[in-house]
Amino acid sequence: MVRKRRTEIPGAGESSEPQEANTGRGTGAQRPPAQQQQQQPQGGYQGRGRGGQGAQGPYQGQIGQPQGGRGWGPRGGPGVGGPQRGGVAPQQYPGGPLDQPQQGRGSQQQQPPRGTAPSQHGGGMGGDLHGGSGPVYAGGPSRTSTPELHQATQAPQQPGVTMQPILYGKLATEVVHAESSSGSSTNQPVDEVAGQLKQLSTQQDDPVQAAPASSKSMRFPLRPGKGSSGTRCIVKANHFFAELPDKDLHQYDVTIVPEVTSCGVNRAVMAQLVKLYKDSHLGKRLPAYDGRKSLYTAGPLPFVSREFKITLLDEDDGSGSARRDRDFKVAIKLASRADLHHLGMFLQGRQADAPQEALQVLDIVLRELPTNRYSPVGRSFYSPNLGRRQPLGEGLESWRGFYQSIRPTQMGLSLNIDMSSTAFIEPLPVIDFVTQLLSRDVSSRPLSDADRVKIKKALRGVKVEVTHRGNMRRKYRISGLTSQATRELNFPVDERGTMKSVVEYFRETYGFTIVHIQWPCLQVGNTQRPNYLPMEVCKIVEGQRYSKRLNERQITALLKVTCQRPQQREMDILKTVTHNAYGQDPYAKEFGIKISQKLASVEARILPPPWLKYHDTGREKDCLPQVGQWNMMNKKMVNGGRVASWICINFARNVQDNIAHTFCQELAQMCNISGMAFNPEPVLPPLSGRPDQVERVLKARFHDAMTRLRPHKKELDLLIVILPDNNGSLYGDLKRICETDLGIVSQCCLTKHVFKMSKQYLANVALKINVKVGGRNTVLLDAISRRIPNVSDVPTIIFGADVTHPHPGEDSSPSIAAVVASQDWPEITKYAGLVCAQAHRQELIQDLFKEWQDPNRGKMSGGMIKELLISFRRATGQKPQRIIFYRDGVSEGQFYQVLLYELDAIRKACASLEPNYQPPVTFVVVQKRHHTRLFANNHNDRNSIDRSGNILPGTVVDSKICHPTEFDFYLCSHAGIQGTSRPAHYHVLWDENKFAADALQSLTNNLCYTYARCTRSVSIVPPAYYAHLAAFRARFYMEPDTSDSGSMTSGRGMGMGVRSTRVPMPNAAAVRPLPALKENVKRVMFYC
C-alpha cells in the first residue's frame, strides 16, 4: 500500500458525500466554530447557548474574550451563569424533557482535587505549591518507587460530596520540553523527583499526578484488562510469529576511512571484508551490518579490536580501460553485548521498557538479505521483479514491493509483512522523459520559463548514464540545467583558454551530431567545475525512487495499483513470506531467528453499532445502523439549522442560469425535507462569474446582497457556489475569501453533480449545509440518555488534534496544527476548532498554551486549549470536569516527546483559568499510518465480512498482536468500500480517568457514527478527523508565494521562509501567521 501522505483525507472513500473541489480538497477545513451559534430549530430540542464574543485575541482563531491573566471570563458576565445569552437553556429533547441536573457555576459538582500543574515557566500554578493549592487523590499504593509518572486515580464523583484536598509540602515538577524540538528545556534531576515521589508515596496512599522529569521517568498506562463486550470472532492478521533466538549477540563499532555518506558504498566495503576474511579472521561468523556504524554478530569475534585494509574496484563503465581502485581502512571494535534476556522479560510483561537495541539488531539481521536483493526504501523493499511495473505518467512508474518490520507483541516477537507500491523514475532517455513530463512534442516550440523550472525540479539529483560512447556507460548525477541553449554553450579546452562550442566538441570528439541545439544542457558534477551533457546523450539509470510530490493523476494511478481486495492481499502477503524463504536466509540462520509461515490467528470482538437519535417529527425517530451505514429516508435532522437568506454564484461556463436556478430549488427542497428551515427563494437570482475574477465577483455580489439585507437587520446565511469540475486554485481562493474576508459559510458543488442532481447527492450536501449553519444532524441516543461511561456523568470535553506537514520537496512551507474540541455536552457532536501555522515539519503543537508580557496588562496567557475551554464554558454554562484528547499523526518514536510537551500545555492552560483547576486527562494517540491488516478467518463466510470482503465495522482487537503491557487496541470502525480496510490503532499514553477497556473502545467506536458529513461510520474518531480537515483547509489561507520552491496542485504556491524551532536559524523569517477567521464563521462547523 502506498504510504499515506499527511494531507490525505483519512479513509479515502468513506464519506459518500461529494468532494467539493475536483482535487478532493473540498473536505479541508481551517477550524471549527468558537461559540456554536445555532438558529432556532424546527421543533426538536434546543440547547444552543450563543456565546458572547470578545475582542480578537493575540493569535488567529481566538475564541471569546481577550486573554488577560487567569479566569474563565468576567465574573457574572456572559457565559458564566444560567441560561442567559452565554449560558444554555434547559435542553428539551424530542419526546419530553429529560431529568437533567442543572450544573451551573453555583451548583456545579466539586472537581475532586488533583495533582499539580507542572509549571516553572510562569503562568497558572507555580512550581512551588503551598498549602491546598496542590491537591492529590487518595487511592491505592504506588506501583514502584522509581521516578515514573503515576496516573492519578479519579475518585468516585457523588453529587454534593466535596473531596478535601490533602496538603503536602513543596514538589517542584518540571516537564522537559522535548529537547530535540524546543530550545528552552530545563531538566530537573531525576533523582530529586524520584526522592520526592518516594517520600510522597509513603505519606499518602496514592502518589500525586506529578509531571515527569524526563521521558525516562515516564510509564504509559498498563492495559486495564481486556475488553469483553461485543460478539467474539477470530480474525487473521499479517503478523508472523518470530521465535526469539537463544544467541549471544555482540555489537561492534565500525569506522571506515575515508568516510563516505553512501550506505551502498559502506555495504560494498563490508561485503568485500566478509568475503575475504570471514573464515580467516572473523571466526567463520556472518555479521549483520546496518550500513553505517554498527556491526552485529551471533557470538564474539576472535578479537576485541582490529583494523582491515579493503580495496574496492569502481564498477565497470564498459570503456575497457582499467577500473579505478579505491582503498579503505576499516576498524572494527567491540562495543557491547545486546541483551536478549531483557527483551524476553519485556515480551512476558515483566519489564516496562522495550529494549530497543535488541529489537534493532533483530530488525537489521532480517533486513540484510532483502537489502542486498532489492531496492530498500524506508522499511520497505521494491523490485521490478516483485510484480508488474505500471506507468504512472510524466516519466514515472510504480514498482511493487513489501514492508517488513519486527515488533514486540503479546504473542512474542512478530514480523509484520504487508504489500506496498511506490513511484520510481522510468529508465528512459532523458529526451523521452522530458516529453512525457511536459505532455507534448517538445521539438515543436521552445521551452518556456515554466517548462525549464518543471524540468529542473524533476531532474535535479537524478542519476543518468551517457549513451554516446558505445559500451562505455559512465554515470553522473544531474545538478541543474544550463541557462543558455546548447548551441550557445562554449567551454575552455586547454590551459590557454581556447574556447570550443559543445556542439562542435561532440561532433569532433565522438562524431555525434546534436539535434536539439535549442535545448539547455544538463549540468552534472559539482558547480565549481560544471560538466555539460546534452539531454539526448543521457538515459536515466534504473532503480531510482521518486521522492517528490505526485500529482493527482499519478496518485489515482498508484492507488489503482495498490487497491487490492482483502483475499488477494492476504494471498500476496503469504506468497511474499514464502518467496522470502526466511528458513533459508543465511543471516536468519546464523542468528537463530525462525519465522512462522502462517498469519497470526487473533481473537477479536465485533462491537454493536450505537442507536442514533433523529427528530421526533420524522417517521423514524431513531435508527440502528446496519454494517456501518444508514440513510436519511423518513428521518429529520435532530436540530435543523435555519437558512433565511442565501445567494448562488456560478463559476462554471457550461451551466446555464436556468439549470443553476433549478439545482438551487432542488437543494433547498432537500434541506427542508431533511429537517432544516431553508427559504426556497434566494436574496438575488443566481449570478454567473468568471473564475479568474473570483475575488471581485464574490465581493460585489456579497455587497449587493448585504445592501438588501442590512435595512432589515439580517445577515447572509449561506453562499452556494457552482464550480467547474477542474477548477485549479478557484476552490481554495473562494474558501479563503469567504471565511477570512467576507465572513460567510459556503457550499461548493461541482458541475457534474449539478447536471445529475441525484437525490443521494442532494441529501449528503444537506448534511454538510446543516452543520455549517449551526445545526446537528444526529446525536447518540446513549449521550442524551446519559449512559456513556466516563462522559455522561460530569461535563466532559473531547479534543481532537493533528499537525499536517508540507509535501516532500516543499522544504520551507510551515506545518499547520489544528485542534478541535466538543462544544456541547452531553451530546458531544459539535466541534469548535483553531489552527495555527508553525515551523516546517514541527510535530509538537506550539500554540496549545502560551504566555507573553503585555506592556500595559502584565503577564498574559492564551493558546488553543485555553480558548476552547472558555468556548465550552460559554456554550454549555459549565466547566469541563474531564478531558479526553485524541491526538492524530504521532509516530511511536515521538510518543514521549509529544506527551511530555502537550500534556504540560493542557495542564498550564487549565491552571491559567483558575487555581487548582486540573480536570483529569486521558490522552490517546490515533494512528492510521501503520501496516497491520486484519482479514476474515473465512473469506467465504458471508456473516463475517461486509460487501467489500472486509472485516465487519466495529471489529476490535486488543490481544496477541497488541503491545505486551500497554493500553492499545486496533479498531476497524468503518465498512470497507474498495481495497483492504486499514484499522485505526489507538494507544493510550495517559489516563487519569481510569477507562476500562470496554468503555474506551465503545466510546471510540460510537463516536465514529457521529461524523457530520455522511451517513456512514468513519475509520478514525471524528474529533481527530475534524482536526485533520481543519488543518487541511488552513493551507488555502496561506499567502501565495512566487518562488519555484513547490506549489499545491490547487495552484497556490506554498513556499515561505520559516524559522525552525529545532535550531534557530539566523536571518530566517518567522512563520507567517494565518489570516484570522471571521467571528460568525468560527462559531459553526464551516470546514465540513
Side-chain angles (χ1 to χ4, degrees):
M1 188 70 193
V2 61
R3 178 161 290 194
K4 190 179 254 195
R5 297 170 300 139
R6 272 292 335 132
T7 50
E8 255 176 20
I9 304 304
E14 285 159 3
S15 87
S16 51
E17 91 288 348
Q19 299 285 8
E20 288 186 1
N22 69 311
T23 55
R25 288 202 170 82
T27 53
Q30 164 165 356
R31 59 186 159 189
Q35 306 85 339
Q36 309 275 8
Q37 177 169 6
Q38 301 179 342
Q39 318 301 337
Q40 280 303 349
Q42 305 307 297
Y45 70 85
Q46 299 97 35
R48 308 200 169 110
R50 295 189 343 200
Q53 299 151 34
Q56 180 65 23
Y59 78 104
Q60 195 257 332
Q62 180 139 342
I63 297 180
Q65 62 172 99
Q67 291 306 300
R70 303 174 179 222
W72 291 92
R75 294 289 176 209
V80 177
Q84 316 137 307
R85 182 173 151 71
V88 70
Q91 307 203 359
Q92 286 150 25
Y93 287 84
L98 203 79
D99 181 18
Q100 177 185 347
Q102 283 300 304
Q103 295 184 332
R105 199 161 61 87
S107 63
Q108 198 158 321
Q109 296 172 359
Q110 179 69 33
Q111 172 63 21
R114 273 197 57 265
T116 66
S119 169
Q120 268 162 253
H121 302 302
M125 299 160 64
D128 283 353
L129 305 172
H130 301 282
S133 72
V136 295
Y137 281 110
S142 98
R143 209 153 35 92
T144 75
S145 59
T146 57
E148 64 189 30
L149 194 47
H150 298 276
Q151 312 284 336
T153 312
Q154 188 180 0
Q157 302 194 340
Q158 294 157 0
V161 176
T162 305
M163 301 282 291
Q164 286 304 313
I166 298 166
L167 307 185
Y168 60 94
K170 290 185 183 181
L171 172 64
T173 57
E174 170 63 20
V175 169
V176 176
H177 283 226
E179 288 96 331
S180 67
S181 5
S182 172
S184 58
S185 67
T186 43
N187 203 343
Q188 190 195 3
V190 175
D191 297 342
E192 189 184 326
V193 177
Q196 289 163 343
L197 284 174
K198 196 166 183 181
Q199 183 186 345
L200 279 171
S201 60
T202 57
Q203 287 172 5
Q204 65 268 329
D205 294 331
D206 193 47
V208 61
Q209 177 71 24
S214 73
S215 63
K216 290 283 180 285
S217 65
M218 199 165 199
R219 295 282 177 275
F220 297 141
L222 296 175
R223 189 180 300 284
K226 290 179 182 155
S228 58
S229 64
T231 310
R232 293 185 178 279
C233 65
I234 298 288
V235 295
K236 287 177 287 188
N238 58 340
H239 285 242
F240 297 84
F241 178 67
E243 207 175 296
L244 193 62
D246 183 20
K247 293 275 182 172
D248 196 8
L249 299 190
H250 286 62
Q251 179 183 352
Y252 291 83
D253 285 340
V254 174
T255 313
I256 297 178
V257 180
E259 196 172 335
V260 278
T261 51
S262 159
C263 284
V265 174
N266 286 343
R267 285 183 184 283
V269 170
M270 191 56 69
Q272 181 72 354
L273 189 150
V274 172
K275 187 172 149 190
L276 293 174
Y277 299 114
K278 180 185 170 189
D279 291 350
S280 57
H281 292 70
L282 301 183
K284 298 195 174 173
R285 300 212 181 275
L286 182 64
Y289 178 46
D290 71 353
R292 287 184 288 274
K293 301 278 186 191
S294 296
L295 188 77
Y296 300 96
T297 57
L301 293 174
F303 56 81
V304 172
S305 175
R306 180 149 197 165
E307 203 170 89
F308 298 86
K309 280 190 178 158
I310 299 294
T311 301
L312 271 196
L313 288 177
D314 261 9
E315 57 184 291
D316 187 353
D317 61 10
S319 63
S321 56
R323 289 193 276 169
R324 203 160 50 108
D325 286 353
R326 295 172 73 187
D327 292 329
F328 296 93
K329 275 187 189 167
V330 183
I332 297 177
K333 184 182 175 190
L334 178 64
S336 64
R337 288 172 62 174
D339 194 350
L340 288 182
H341 168 69
H342 282 114
L343 179 56
M345 297 276 284
F346 171 72
L347 293 168
Q348 292 163 27
R350 291 160 57 196
Q351 177 183 320
D353 280 333
Q356 290 304 335
E357 195 183 70
L359 285 168
Q360 194 183 344
V361 179
L362 301 177
D363 202 41
I364 288 164
V365 170
L366 288 171
R367 293 172 66 78
E368 188 75 48
L369 196 62
T371 299
N372 297 333
R373 274 189 194 166
Y374 310 120
S375 299
V377 176
R379 290 191 167 277
S380 297
F381 299 94
Y382 298 95
S383 164
N385 310 321
L386 287 172
R388 237 174 41 163
R389 304 177 183 201
Q390 299 282 357
L392 299 177
E394 296 192 9
L396 302 185
E397 61 182 7
S398 70
W399 283 19
R400 289 272 284 164
F402 63 92
Y403 166 93
Q404 171 181 299
S405 169
I406 197 138
R407 307 187 59 76
T409 63
Q410 289 174 37
M411 67 177 181
L413 278 181
S414 138
L415 191 66
N416 181 200
I417 302 271
D418 192 22
M419 302 320 295
S420 181
S421 287
T422 196
F424 278 75
I425 302 169
E426 278 192 72
L428 298 167
V430 170
I431 289 278
D432 295 355
F433 177 84
V434 171
T435 304
Q436 279 201 33
L437 182 71
L438 302 179
S439 309
R440 63 181 172 83
D441 175 16
V442 285
S443 56
S444 58
R445 64 169 191 263
L447 296 177
S448 66
D449 284 349
D451 289 340
R452 295 169 69 91
V453 165
K454 192 171 184 182
I455 296 167
K456 186 176 170 184
K457 280 177 69 175
L459 287 176
R460 191 188 281 147
V462 173
K463 232 187 212 174
V464 290
E465 58 186 13
V466 293
T467 57
H468 64 291
R469 301 176 70 175
N471 288 331
M472 186 175 171
R473 294 281 176 128
R474 282 203 68 178
K475 295 186 173 75
Y476 299 92
R477 198 175 289 279
I478 299 170
S479 57
L481 294 183
T482 58
S483 50
Q484 296 134 298
T486 303
R487 61 169 174 252
E488 297 161 11
L489 281 173
N490 299 298
F491 64 100
V493 285
D494 55 30
E495 278 71 37
R496 296 199 302 275
T498 310
M499 302 300 280
K500 186 170 272 192
S501 77
V502 168
V503 177
E504 209 180 328
Y505 176 79
F506 269 79
R507 190 169 54 242
E508 290 174 9
T509 315
Y510 306 113
F512 186 92
T513 305
I514 298 170
V515 179
H516 300 282
I517 55 172
Q518 78 283 15
W519 281 38
C521 274
L522 299 176
Q523 214 165 301
V524 297
N526 60 30
T527 43
Q528 280 74 41
R529 291 185 56 244
N531 211 332
Y532 303 135
L533 289 176
M535 287 189 192
E536 60 210 86
V537 304
C538 295
K539 179 175 183 281
I540 292 168
V541 175
E542 184 173 79
Q544 297 179 79
R545 182 182 171 234
Y546 184 77
S547 58
K548 303 183 184 83
R549 185 183 177 188
L550 300 177
N551 65 32
E552 300 294 331
R553 285 190 304 279
Q554 290 166 333
I555 290 163
T556 306
L558 189 55
L559 287 175
K560 243 183 212 157
V561 176
T562 56
C563 185
Q564 283 183 297
R565 291 265 161 159
Q567 197 164 0
Q568 183 61 51
R569 193 184 196 99
E570 184 187 321
M571 280 165 58
D572 280 4
I573 288 168
L574 285 166
K575 271 189 208 156
T576 301
V577 172
T578 309
H579 176 78
N580 288 351
Y582 295 103
Q584 276 73 59
D585 179 340
Y587 295 94
K589 273 181 170 172
E590 169 88 8
F591 284 80
I593 302 171
K594 295 193 184 77
I595 306 293
S596 164
Q597 299 278 299
K598 283 188 190 158
L599 291 153
S601 279
V602 186
E603 282 182 15
R605 288 167 290 114
I606 300 162
L607 301 178
W611 280 91
L612 302 174
K613 179 68 189 148
Y614 282 94
H615 201 276
D616 275 350
T617 56
R619 293 227 314 261
E620 292 182 26
K621 300 174 177 54
D622 46 37
C623 157
L624 185 64
Q626 301 298 314
V627 197
Q629 48 193 331
W630 64 103
N631 60 46
M632 285 295 290
M633 284 172 68
N634 302 324
K635 302 176 194 69
K636 288 191 185 291
M637 295 150 174
V638 74
N639 282 144
R642 190 161 158 269
V643 177
S645 40
W646 58 277
I647 55 172
C648 171
I649 300 179
N650 170 19
F651 286 106
R653 272 194 315 209
N654 55 337
V655 176
Q656 288 78 33
D657 286 352
N658 62 327
I659 293 175
H661 179 78
T662 309
F663 174 76
C664 290
Q665 295 302 309
E666 291 285 321
L667 183 56
Q669 189 185 349
M670 179 58 80
C671 287
N672 281 316
I673 290 169
S674 302
M676 293 180 67
F678 200 111
N679 184 351
E681 289 305 317
V683 178
L684 299 166
L687 170 79
S688 292
R690 283 176 48 181
D692 57 345
Q693 298 178 348
V694 56
E695 190 152 0
R696 198 173 64 73
V697 173
L698 282 175
K699 288 183 174 175
R701 201 58 170 171
F702 179 75
H703 178 264
D704 294 347
M706 291 312 293
T707 307
R708 292 243 181 135
L709 294 169
R710 265 198 201 97
H712 307 288
K713 301 228 167 21
K714 287 183 180 171
E715 292 293 327
L716 190 60
D717 298 320
L718 177 70
L719 167 67
I720 295 172
V721 186
I722 298 171
L723 293 177
D725 291 334
N726 295 312
N727 58 70
S729 65
L730 179 57
Y731 175 81
D733 290 340
L734 188 139
K735 291 293 182 186
R736 174 177 52 82
I737 295 159
C738 286
E739 289 154 11
T740 67
D741 194 344
L742 302 178
I744 178 173
V745 290
S746 55
Q747 178 59 52
C748 296
C749 305
L750 294 180
T751 302
K752 59 184 178 187
H753 298 304
V754 170
F755 281 125
K756 272 190 201 155
M757 261 183 257
S758 81
K759 290 278 184 269
Q760 176 66 62
Y761 172 79
L762 294 171
N764 282 327
V765 174
L767 293 176
K768 292 164 64 120
I769 290 174
N770 188 47
V771 294
K772 286 178 184 180
V773 298
R776 278 192 195 91
N777 293 337
T778 184
V779 295
L780 294 170
L781 200 58
D782 276 0
I784 52 177
S785 55
R786 302 292 190 87
R787 287 200 298 260
I788 303 179
N790 285 24
V791 172
S792 298
D793 52 345
V794 293
T796 298
I797 187 168
I798 299 183
F799 284 89
D802 190 16
V803 178
T804 65
H805 301 294
H807 292 281
E810 290 179 13
D811 45 8
S812 62
S813 306
S815 292
I816 290 185
V819 181
V820 305
S822 58
Q823 298 294 292
D824 51 351
W825 180 83
E827 302 88 351
I828 49 171
T829 331
K830 304 173 99 183
Y831 290 83
L834 301 170
V835 294
C836 66
Q838 59 185 38
H840 178 74
R841 299 223 153 262
Q842 169 62 271
E843 184 57 53
L844 307 179
I845 302 177
Q846 301 299 293
D847 271 6
L848 287 181
F849 177 76
K850 50 187 197 174
E851 292 177 314
W852 66 96
Q853 207 64 30
D854 184 281
N856 303 320
R857 293 186 287 178
K859 184 182 273 186
M860 308 286 287
S861 66
M864 296 162 126
I865 300 286
K866 184 169 181 176
E867 302 304 326
L868 291 164
L869 290 169
I870 291 169
S871 175
F872 179 94
R873 171 70 176 261
R874 288 235 170 98
T876 64
Q878 307 186 72
K879 288 187 299 190
Q881 293 193 34
R882 183 182 288 116
I883 292 174
I884 299 168
F885 198 96
Y886 285 104
R887 176 67 155 90
D888 193 8
V890 181
S891 61
E892 283 172 46
Q894 296 171 309
F895 278 6
Y896 282 116
Q897 227 183 336
V898 168
L899 180 64
L900 281 164
Y901 186 88
E902 296 182 5
L903 181 66
D904 179 41
I906 295 168
R907 292 279 180 71
K908 286 176 174 167
C910 292
S912 73
L913 287 163
E914 191 176 295
N916 304 344
Y917 176 58
Q918 289 295 313
V921 177
T922 295
F923 194 106
V924 186
V925 165
V926 187
Q927 292 175 305
K928 279 281 281 187
R929 295 178 67 187
H930 59 78
H931 284 270
T932 293
R933 297 290 181 278
L934 303 174
F935 303 101
N937 193 41
N938 175 2
H939 289 284
N940 300 317
D941 177 6
R942 288 268 153 242
N943 296 322
S944 66
I945 55 171
D946 63 19
R947 278 192 307 193
S948 68
N950 278 290
I951 53 172
L952 294 169
T955 302
V956 66
V957 168
D958 60 1
S959 65
K960 203 158 181 181
I961 58 169
C962 292
H963 193 279
T965 57
E966 290 168 13
F967 188 2
D968 72 326
F969 56 92
Y970 290 95
L971 171 65
C972 182
S973 50
H974 66 298
I977 293 178
Q978 56 178 0
T980 306
S981 295
R982 187 196 306 237
H985 182 229
Y986 296 88
H987 201 129
V988 182
L989 302 192
W990 197 249
D991 184 25
E992 293 166 346
N993 291 301
K994 297 294 168 213
F995 269 96
D998 278 332
L1000 187 61
Q1001 290 165 10
S1002 294
L1003 169 66
T1004 304
N1005 186 53
N1006 291 352
L1007 285 174
C1008 291
Y1009 286 78
T1010 66
Y1011 185 63
R1013 306 194 317 168
C1014 54
T1015 53
R1016 300 177 68 92
S1017 59
V1018 288
S1019 65
I1020 61 169
V1021 73
Y1025 207 145
Y1026 293 146
H1028 183 86
L1029 294 180
F1032 197 62
R1033 171 69 61 86
R1035 288 244 166 244
F1036 295 127
Y1037 299 160
M1038 289 166 41
E1039 296 301 316
D1041 185 59
T1042 51
S1043 76
D1044 68 20
S1045 63
S1047 66
M1048 295 283 286
T1049 326
S1050 69
R1052 294 177 57 75
M1054 301 302 296
M1056 56 179 72
V1058 172
R1059 184 187 68 242
S1060 161
T1061 51
R1062 293 190 179 90
V1063 184
M1065 279 162 36
N1067 309 323
V1071 177
R1072 210 179 301 176
L1074 300 171
L1077 274 173
K1078 294 295 178 187
E1079 285 295 327
N1080 57 329
V1081 173
K1082 241 192 279 192
R1083 288 197 298 266
V1084 290
M1085 291 170 76
F1086 67 91
Y1087 49 84
C1088 279

